[in-house]
Amino acid sequence: MNNTAPLTDPFDRRLSYLRLSVTDLCNYRCNYCLPHGYQGKAKPDEMSLAEIETLANTFAQCGTRKIRVTGGEPTLRRDLADIIAACKAAPHIENVALTTNAFRLGRIFPAYRAAGLDKLNVSIDSFNPDTFYQITGKRECENILRDLEAILESGFGSIKINTLLLRRYAEQTLPDALAYIKTRPVTLRFIELMQTGDNLGFFNSQHLSAARIERSLQREGWQLLPRQPHAGPAREYYHRDFAGSIGFIAPYSEDFCKSCNRLRVTAQGKMHLCLFGGIAYDLRDYLKAADADGLRQYLHQTVAQKPEHHYLHDKKVGLITNLSMTGG
């Protein structure tokens, strides 16, 4: 086995993208994830900065080129700027991205940018403040939009907005989203609601396929953009009359898993080969011992078990109770 070769699964998919959760803790009460809020405090066994450095460097040596830092809500970690810097310093890492709910983002973003952050994804499930509150339990919509304007004006241009597609609000959300990207160079991505271990009732009432909206935009002149290297699964469209673009992450669509290039590691150092897989592979002993050679060997052995696709269509959601566990 060549432990210096890029990680490649049995279906010849190059695994160049790591989604790294740094905490399960979240301060929102989103009705599709944690409607009663996060229960308890942050787990005491979150990976340390030193462990994350070992993880990032080893994955980089195995062909990872993009690291996305997620949660829970990652900005609740006080050492997040140091985590971003550690990921950015790993050899051959081309992009470090952050997914956040943007709570108090204007105040804390400069430190993340100085640490080397390349890309920012912000969750905004509605542009209407009252609807935003209904979904998230927070009256932060106007604050987030104000902070995003300031970040755009500062010259930081790699911003994506994640909007969950919910049946109840779709008729309002789509025109609001299109109005927002009309004059702003951001990518807005609609994400289909996914079933997890504890949201079956909500899923059945609120799931809406992205296909219908996607077809309507195509009829209005939106054109599919080529997929970029190390990109996630979104299909993104542009229109000559819009400054921004629009995308769709549709896990229930045909061939969604065909180009999967991702591995996920939880805040406790457990690797998921698939978001909805049934096994979590524990990397913690290697990380605690800073054993990069052992970890490289283990990664190559383990990715040989990556499945070809998820089993969401069969209502099999694996170990995921809610999306705060691995950041989606």
Side-chain angles (χ1 to χ4, degrees), residues 7-180:
L7 293 174
T8 305
D9 74 5
F11 308 98
D12 203 32
R13 296 177 297 198
R14 170 83 180 278
L15 305 175
S16 62
Y17 179 7
L18 172 65
R19 294 184 62 100
L20 171 61
S21 174
V22 296
T23 185
D24 292 342
L25 188 64
C26 186
N27 57 339
Y28 274 37
R29 294 173 174 266
C30 296
N31 55 15
Y32 53 84
C33 184
L34 294 172
H36 305 295
Y38 187 88
Q39 302 300 303
K41 299 180 180 179
K43 295 177 181 177
D45 57 346
E46 291 175 346
M47 286 185 291
S48 67
L49 177 61
E51 290 175 294
I52 291 172
E53 287 177 339
T54 297
L55 181 80
N57 280 286
T58 306
F59 269 82
Q61 292 166 8
C62 292
T64 295
R65 296 296 175 260
K66 177 180 178 180
I67 299 177
R68 176 170 299 283
V69 181
T70 71
E73 174 45 44
T75 64
L76 297 179
R77 282 220 25 177
R78 295 181 179 180
D79 59 350
L80 182 58
D82 295 328
I83 291 172
I84 291 170
C87 293
K88 185 67 174 179
H92 311 300
I93 294 299
E94 298 171 9
N95 291 295
V96 177
L98 173 68
T99 295
T100 174
N101 64 26
F103 184 75
R104 297 179 181 172
L105 184 64
R107 179 172 60 83
I108 56 182
F109 178 74
Y112 303 154
R113 186 174 186 181
L117 186 69
D118 299 296
K119 298 176 181 292
L120 177 67
N121 284 38
V122 174
S123 298
I124 303 178
D125 290 319
S126 176
F127 292 90
N128 179 287
D130 290 333
T131 303
F132 184 95
Y133 174 73
Q134 292 173 28
I135 296 172
T136 68
K138 291 287 184 178
R139 294 200 179 277
E140 289 292 326
C141 183
E142 292 168 316
N143 295 332
I144 293 170
L145 294 176
R146 183 193 63 237
D147 288 345
L148 278 183
E149 291 295 327
I151 292 171
L152 283 167
E153 289 173 4
S154 76
F156 188 89
S158 188
I159 298 175
K160 292 182 179 178
I161 294 173
N162 294 335
T163 300
L164 194 69
L165 191 59
L166 297 173
R167 181 181 299 276
R168 178 179 177 183
Y169 305 109
E171 188 174 339
Q172 174 194 76
T173 303
L174 178 60
D176 288 349
L178 290 173
Y180 188 83

Side-chain angles (χ1 to χ4, degrees), residues 184-304:
R184 297 172 180 87
V186 302
T187 299
L188 189 143
R189 304 185 309 175
F190 282 110
I191 303 174
E192 279 187 357
L193 179 65
M194 292 172 275
Q195 185 183 340
T196 60
D198 64 359
N199 77 348
L200 179 59
F202 188 89
F203 174 84
N204 287 338
S205 66
Q206 294 301 322
H207 178 261
L208 180 65
S209 171
R212 185 180 65 183
I213 298 175
E214 198 168 348
R215 287 194 296 269
S216 70
L217 291 178
Q218 289 171 342
R219 289 193 294 269
E220 294 171 8
W222 290 81
Q223 299 183 46
L224 188 65
L225 286 163
R227 188 170 182 270
Q228 298 300 308
H230 320 306
R235 295 190 300 269
E236 295 188 359
Y237 292 80
Y238 76 97
H239 193 290
R240 63 183 182 182
D241 296 332
F242 285 74
S245 57
I246 194 163
F248 298 90
I249 297 178
Y252 292 88
S253 64
E254 186 177 359
D255 294 333
F256 177 77
C257 301
K258 185 176 182 179
S259 59
C260 182
N261 60 355
R262 295 171 300 293
L263 294 167
R264 292 172 168 83
V265 175
T266 71
Q268 288 72 41
K270 291 181 170 58
M271 182 170 69
H272 291 243
L273 301 179
C274 172
L275 175 60
F276 295 99
I279 303 175
Y281 299 86
D282 198 346
L283 312 181
R284 204 61 184 275
D285 287 345
Y286 300 107
L287 299 176
K288 289 179 177 178
D291 181 6
D293 291 338
L295 180 56
R296 276 200 304 273
Q297 181 175 350
Y298 184 70
L299 292 177
H300 280 277
Q301 292 171 345
T302 305
V303 299

